[in-house]
Amino acid sequence: MASAPANLWVLLGLGLAGILIMTKKLKKNKVVKQDFGAFVLRFQLLPPPQPSPPKAPHPLTGLTFAVSDVFDIDGFVTGFGNLDWERTHEAASQTSSVVSALVEGGATCVGKTVVAEMAYSISGENKNYGTPTNPTAPALIPGGSSSGSAVAVAADLVHFSLGTDTDGGVRVPAGYCGVIGFRPSYGAVSHVGIVPVSSSCDTVGWFAKDPIILRRVGHLLLQVPFAVQRNPRSIIIADDCFQLVKNSVDRVALVVIKSTEKLFGRQVLKHENLGDYLDLKVPSLKSLHSKKSNGEVKSSSIRLLANVMELVKRHEFKCNHGEWISSVKPTLDPIIAAQIRERLQISDMEIENFRIIRNEIRVALNSLLKDDGILVIPTIPDPPLKLGGKEILSEDYLSRAFSLLSLASMSGCCQVTVPLGFHGQNPVSVSLVARHGGDRFLLDTVHTMYASLQEQADIIEKSKLSAKVVSQETSADIAKEKVDYLIFKFLLEGDKPTSLFHLAAAAVMLHLHRLRLTGNQAFKDKQWQKAIGFYTEAIRLSGTNATYYSNRAAAYLELGRYCYSVEVYWLG
């Protein structure tokens, strides 16, 4: 009994120590900041008074927004994510035209947000102003370059926000912070009054949580004429692009497939190997195939395109800011400094070839998508990385990321990032791409599909099936969808069937494929009798295929029925 008070004091001491440790952690955690570290400067730009009736009110009345610190605001220095830049530049004498248009349209600008240093990194980290905290995953990077603007929307601090997208500056943080991010067609929105990064790739983009707000902002900035809303006539899944993804690839593709089937019908779905398509349609990329000592090694067209994008970005960035960097010698993040200061010699012939590649890929994607097609790709192949982690330097990570991001950056096509909830603890997204100039169509498509995409994502995530079964069913659905499309393409786009025999043959091919898939799945699940049934049906339709006999024999063997297991040897 004498030991009881001592134990009590020990427990009390441990409890107090735990509270002290947690308090220290909370003080260090950026989440305790009221604005999640999103803002570098707070102010207000108020809209003009509402027009008198019967005139319509301003289209963005009641909405608030923030802008990345690359947009000029009259009377304030544009910081460009770097303290030396802010120190050596004067306050802007006028406000960026895109910001003025939004304010004139009825929205209130409430401040500037953190941008990655010199808007150069896709991580969103900034040691000068502090890295904004990702509201969906505080221990992970928010993505960049327009990290603060994405965080401001994700944390419900504003209704929408502006950023710039050169090689993913809007798309990546939208995907990592779980909001919608829109990169318009190149040249569709004025870039006057914005610090450039790479002039031939830079675009003004915007973030929102609500697809209705996203579209309202887009209609004002794009100044698109009224048009009847059109539904997509083809939604193309870029299969090889999804192969770059490490996690949740089947889940993302299935969400899009199920949503499309529900809204527009299965006939709208198509599949494409985008790398093969670009091999045919962008011949100028062939001259960039890398060479190694053991001979020529062919890189995929998509990865080659990523290399071109990064060379163009570095070249144009130096043209824009090289003189300032040489004269001021600013303190830069070592990672950025290494890329910027690396000697880069590009000939006039190479620059001309880059221009040709840009034109060819725009024509190629416009031809693929036409006026009413949507290309479906992953936004970025990896979930958000840990803050301060070294993975962002990984050549594999950057190569796969820029392979996806380069498609819109180099073609000038419009792209939207759509959040799809979470996979485990990580936010998940998908990207939809429309032809260059198809911005209104893409905004309308997002508006139409958004609720359905969220519904399908929620259904899959909350399914009571185990992760293994979900993965198996997802893979089977996607495989079935691909085969259906190939047969559909054979019937309607390839050699036209000349008789009912062709149609019957196609139907048998499809049925055999499905029997094999379901039989193999039953075998993996150790449902031997079920597998035997599927293989037997396949043998009945195609009695000369040794694979079906072999598979059925293996299933019989598992059941201990040895007399049937030798049947495969009698086929010869």
Side-chain angles (χ1 to χ4, degrees):
M1 295 295 293
S3 62
N7 290 338
L8 182 62
W9 282 109
V10 169
L11 290 172
L12 182 60
L14 289 172
L16 290 172
I19 292 172
L20 182 62
I21 292 170
M22 288 302 297
T23 302
K24 288 182 177 179
K25 286 184 177 181
L26 285 173
K27 286 181 179 178
K28 292 179 180 179
N29 197 329
K30 293 181 180 179
V31 177
V32 299
K33 287 187 177 181
Q34 191 173 11
D35 67 354
F36 288 77
F39 286 87
V40 294
L41 187 65
R42 290 278 200 167
F43 54 80
Q44 278 197 336
L45 299 181
L46 298 174
Q50 292 292 335
S52 302
K55 292 184 178 179
H58 298 308
L60 303 182
T61 296
L63 300 183
T64 59
F65 73 103
V67 301
S68 290
D69 196 16
V70 296
F71 291 82
D72 287 345
I73 303 294
D74 187 15
F76 297 100
V77 177
T78 306
F80 202 27
N82 181 272
L83 294 174
D84 288 316
W85 181 277
E86 184 177 3
R87 175 179 57 83
T88 56
H89 285 76
E90 300 292 330
S93 59
Q94 59 183 9
T95 297
S96 166
S97 59
V98 66
V99 177
S100 296
L102 293 170
V103 173
E104 290 294 321
T108 299
C109 182
V110 298
K112 285 192 173 190
T113 56
V114 175
V115 65
E117 189 169 10
M118 303 195 81
Y120 205 85
S121 166
I122 63 167
S123 75
E125 295 173 291
N126 190 309
K127 296 179 180 177
N128 295 297
Y129 298 94
T131 301
T133 300
N134 187 336
T136 66
L140 306 179
I141 61 174
S145 59
S146 304
S147 51
S149 286
V151 167
V153 170
D156 294 316
L157 303 176
V158 291
H159 293 100
F160 70 94
S161 61
L162 292 184
T164 55
D165 189 308
T166 303
D167 54 359
V170 166
R171 293 164 286 170
V172 175
Y176 281 178
C177 293
V179 298
I180 315 173
F182 193 86
R183 174 193 162 102
S185 298
Y186 176 75
V189 179
S190 171
H191 218 268
V192 175
I194 303 171
V195 182
V197 175
S198 174
S199 304
S200 66
C201 295
D202 290 345
T203 57
V204 174
W206 54 98
F207 303 90
K209 275 189 172 180
D210 187 338
I212 296 176
I213 293 177
L214 187 87
R215 186 166 67 161
R216 285 169 63 187
V217 173
H219 285 183
L220 187 146
L221 292 181
L222 296 164
Q223 299 180 348
V224 291
F226 174 79
V228 177
Q229 183 169 331
R230 295 177 291 114
N231 288 332
R233 297 183 65 182
S234 64
I235 292 183
I236 304 168
I237 311 292
D239 293 327
D240 53 334
C241 290
F242 279 96
Q243 291 171 9
L244 296 171
V245 179
K246 286 189 174 180
N247 298 318
S248 69
V249 53
D250 288 345
R251 177 186 183 275
V252 172
L254 185 62
V255 166
V256 177
I257 288 171
K258 293 295 186 183
S259 177
T260 301
E261 289 177 345
K262 181 177 180 180
L263 292 172
F264 312 119
R266 194 171 188 176
Q267 72 282 357
V268 172
L269 283 163
K270 296 183 179 181
H271 291 265
E272 187 71 59
N273 185 306
L274 200 58
D276 290 347
Y277 179 79
L278 296 183
D279 279 341
L280 295 174
K281 300 294 185 178
V282 190
S284 297
L285 276 173
K286 294 180 180 178
S287 63
L288 301 177
H289 288 321
S290 59
K291 292 184 178 181
K292 293 185 178 180
S293 57
N294 60 346
E296 186 170 342
V297 178
K298 182 180 180 181
S299 300
S300 73
S301 292
I302 299 176
R303 296 212 180 202
L304 289 172
L305 192 66
N307 295 339
V308 173
M309 179 186 71
E310 286 306 290
L311 286 172
V312 169
K313 174 186 173 181
R314 288 168 58 193
H315 172 72
E316 294 183 346
F317 184 91
K318 285 190 173 185
C319 291
N320 288 322
H321 307 302
E323 185 176 340
W324 177 82
I325 292 172
S326 298
S327 61
V328 174
K329 295 180 174 52
T331 301
L332 297 173
D333 182 279
I335 300 171
I336 298 173
Q339 295 181 51
I340 293 174
R341 289 170 177 159
E342 182 181 349
R343 298 187 67 180
L344 183 66
Q345 294 182 343
I346 300 179
S347 67
D348 292 340
M349 184 178 296
E350 287 174 308
I351 293 173
E352 175 62 19
N353 192 47
F354 293 162
R355 186 190 64 79
I356 294 172
I357 290 171
R358 186 189 304 278
N359 291 339
E360 287 179 353
I361 188 171
R362 179 177 297 183
V363 171
L365 289 183
N366 282 357
S367 176
L368 176 68
L369 300 174
K370 301 181 174 60
D371 288 337
D372 46 20
I374 296 290
L375 179 68
V376 182
I377 62 173
T379 303
I380 195 163
D382 293 86
L385 305 175
K386 290 183 179 180
L387 282 166
K390 301 295 184 184
E391 294 92 340
I392 194 68
L393 304 177
S394 162
E395 183 177 347
D396 176 64
Y397 169 85
L398 293 174
S399 176
R400 288 183 297 108
F402 288 137
S403 292
L404 297 171
L405 297 167
S406 64
L407 291 169
S409 293
M410 290 302 294
S411 69
C413 292
C414 48
Q415 177 175 335
V416 63
T417 297
V418 181
L420 297 179
F422 290 80
H423 181 69
Q425 300 298 316
N426 298 315
V428 178
S429 71
V430 70
S431 275
L432 310 179
V433 181
R435 68 169 181 85
H436 181 266
D439 302 76
R440 176 164 192 148
F441 168 67
L442 184 57
L443 286 167
D444 288 347
T445 299
V446 175
H447 180 262
T448 301
M449 295 189 69
Y450 187 80
S452 176
L453 288 169
Q454 304 312 305
E455 178 188 20
Q456 294 300 326
D458 193 54
I459 289 171
I460 292 173
E461 188 64 23
K462 291 183 177 180
S463 172
K464 294 181 180 179
L465 296 172
S466 68
K468 177 182 178 182
V469 174
V470 170
S471 176
Q472 291 167 350
E473 290 188 352
T474 298
S475 298
D477 275 351
I478 292 173
K480 176 167 61 68
E481 170 60 41
K482 291 178 184 177
V483 172
D484 285 353
Y485 170 62
L486 288 174
I487 292 178
F488 174 79
K489 189 172 184 179
F490 165 76
L491 292 175
L492 299 184
E493 299 177 8
D495 296 329
K496 301 287 183 181
T498 56
S499 67
L500 290 176
F501 173 79
H502 287 80
L503 293 170
V508 170
M509 287 168 55
L510 177 59
H511 188 51
L512 280 171
H513 178 82
R514 289 179 175 171
L515 286 172
R516 183 173 61 83
L517 280 178
T518 50
N520 290 349
Q521 191 58 62
F523 191 95
K524 290 178 183 177
D525 293 339
K526 299 183 180 180
Q527 298 176 345
W528 314 121
Q529 197 61 54
K530 190 175 180 181
I532 289 168
F534 287 126
Y535 294 139
T536 299
E537 176 66 12
I539 289 169
R540 187 181 67 80
L541 294 172
S542 180
T544 60
N545 192 318
T547 300
Y548 301 132
Y549 282 99
S550 177
N551 290 353
R552 186 172 71 171
Y556 276 131
L557 188 61
E558 293 290 347
L559 288 174
R561 295 163 69 175
Y562 301 104
C563 58
Y564 292 104
S565 67
V566 297
E567 66 181 355
V568 69
Y569 297 110
W570 296 95
L571 295 174

